[in-house]
Amino acid sequence: MIRPMPDFREKPVLAGESVVLRPVIADDAVDMLEVLADGDVLRLTGSHGTLSPDDLEPMREWYGSRAEHQDRLDLAVVDRATNQYVGEVVLNELDANNNSCSFRIALGARGQDRGFGTEATRLVLRYAFERVGLHRISLEVYAFNPRARRVYEKVGFKAEGVLRDALLWEGERFDAHVMSILAPEWQDHHGHPEIPVQKSSPAH
Ligand SMILES: CC(C)(COP(=O)(O)OP(=O)(O)OC[C@H]1O[C@@H](n2cnc3c(N)ncnc32)[C@H](O)[C@@H]1OP(=O)(O)O)[C@@H](O)C(=O)NCCC(=O)NCCS
C-alpha cells in the first residue's frame, strides 16, 4: 500500500500545561523583532545581520503567509498564564519522501529557563510523530549552547555528529552538533527517555 506523503497543511493549536503553541500570524512580527533584538538570541541561533524597524513589514508579510506553506510548520509559543508571545518553534525542510524534517526553536528572554522550551519541544515532536507520521526529526545546536543541548537530550534527541567550524561569529569559528530523534524512539519514551520503558513480564 502506498502511504500518503506527510505534509504540514494542518496548522494545529497544541496546548501544554505552561505553553500553548498556535500558528503564527502577521502581528507576531513585532514580538519576534523584540526577541531578535537580544544579542544572545542572535548568537545562540547563529542569526547574522542586524534588524531595523524597516524589517517589520517584510517580517509581517513572512509571518502572515506561513499558513500557505505545506512544507513547514511555524508555531508561536505563548505563555498560558499571561497569553504573552514568548517565541517560536519551527518544523521545516520537510523531506516528504523520507518522512523527515528539521526542527528549531527560539524563545526570548522572558520565556527562557521556565521549562517552556522543554514543553514546547515535546508538544511539537508529539504532533510530528503521532499526527503527521514523520520518522526522523533533526536539528543543529552550537557547541556553546549547553542549555539547548540539555533540553534536546532531555526530550530524546541523540547526538549524531559534528559540523566542524560551521559558524563564524565575531571572528571566531564554532562547531555545530547535529542531533536527531526517530519515531521508534519517540514511541518508546514519548519525550521522556529518562523514564525506563516498562517491559511486560513474560506470561507464565
Ligand atoms: C534553548 C531554549 C529553547 C531552551 O528552552 P528553555 O525554556 O529556556 O529551557 P528549559 O527551562 O525548558 O530547560 C533548560 C534546561 O537546561 C538546563 N540549563 C540551563 N542552563 C544550562 C547551562 N548553561 N548548561 C547546561 N544546562 C543548562 C536547565 O537546568 C534545564 O534542565 P533541567 O530541567 O534538567 O534542570 C531557550 O532557552 C531559547 O530559545 N534560547 C535562545 C535561543 C536558542 O538558544 N535557541 C536554540 C538554538 S539551537
Side-chain angles (χ1 to χ4, degrees):
M1 188 182 85
I2 298 173
R3 294 199 323 122
M5 290 282 213
D7 65 49
F8 293 125
R9 88 181 57 185
E10 185 200 359
K11 306 297 180 188
V13 174
L14 307 174
E17 277 178 27
S18 308
V19 295
V20 175
L21 311 187
R22 56 135 178 93
V24 293
I25 54 172
D27 284 351
D28 292 332
V30 177
D31 291 310
M32 198 55 196
L33 262 181
E34 193 187 319
V35 169
L36 294 173
D38 181 337
D40 277 343
V41 174
L42 291 180
R43 187 177 63 91
L44 292 166
T45 55
S47 307
H48 290 290
T50 50
L51 288 163
S52 76
D54 290 346
D55 294 302
L56 182 57
E57 242 353 272
M59 279 179 73
R60 281 185 59 80
E61 173 69 25
W62 168 267
Y63 282 103
S65 61
R66 290 310 86 196
E68 298 154 24
H69 296 263
Q70 298 187 7
D71 60 347
R72 56 182 294 141
L73 179 61
D74 299 72
L75 298 174
V77 181
V78 175
D79 178 349
R80 264 192 102 139
T82 61
N83 210 26
Q84 265 191 327
Y85 174 103
V86 293
E88 68 177 17
V89 58
V90 179
L91 296 174
N92 60 3
E93 297 174 340
L94 177 68
D95 178 347
N97 288 304
N98 292 304
N99 281 20
S100 66
C101 77
S102 301
F103 165 90
R104 68 176 167 77
I105 182 168
L107 305 182
R110 71 176 170 219
Q112 296 171 6
D113 298 314
R114 301 167 63 192
F116 290 1
T118 303
E119 186 175 76
T121 304
R122 285 193 180 119
L123 284 170
V124 82
L125 290 182
R126 183 169 71 194
Y127 177 77
F129 286 127
E130 297 181 11
R131 292 286 299 279
V132 183
L134 291 183
H135 176 73
R136 170 189 158 86
I137 299 172
S138 62
L139 60 80
E140 290 175 21
V141 56
Y142 296 120
F144 53 68
N145 197 348
R147 176 177 55 187
R149 172 122 185 184
R150 166 76 189 130
V151 168
Y152 302 148
E153 284 174 346
K154 217 169 24 153
V155 305
F157 279 94
K158 292 186 177 171
E160 286 188 332
V162 179
L163 303 175
R164 296 178 304 150
D165 282 357
L167 177 72
L168 176 59
W169 194 263
E170 294 178 350
E172 255 191 277
R173 295 189 190 275
F174 300 92
D175 293 344
H177 295 251
V178 180
M179 304 181 80
S180 72
I181 179 169
L182 305 179
E185 294 164 351
W186 177 264
Q187 279 152 23
D188 262 0
H189 57 64
H190 296 277
H192 295 271
E194 78 287 1
I195 300 174
V197 181
Q198 297 288 319
K199 303 271 185 216
S200 52
S201 46
H204 291 287

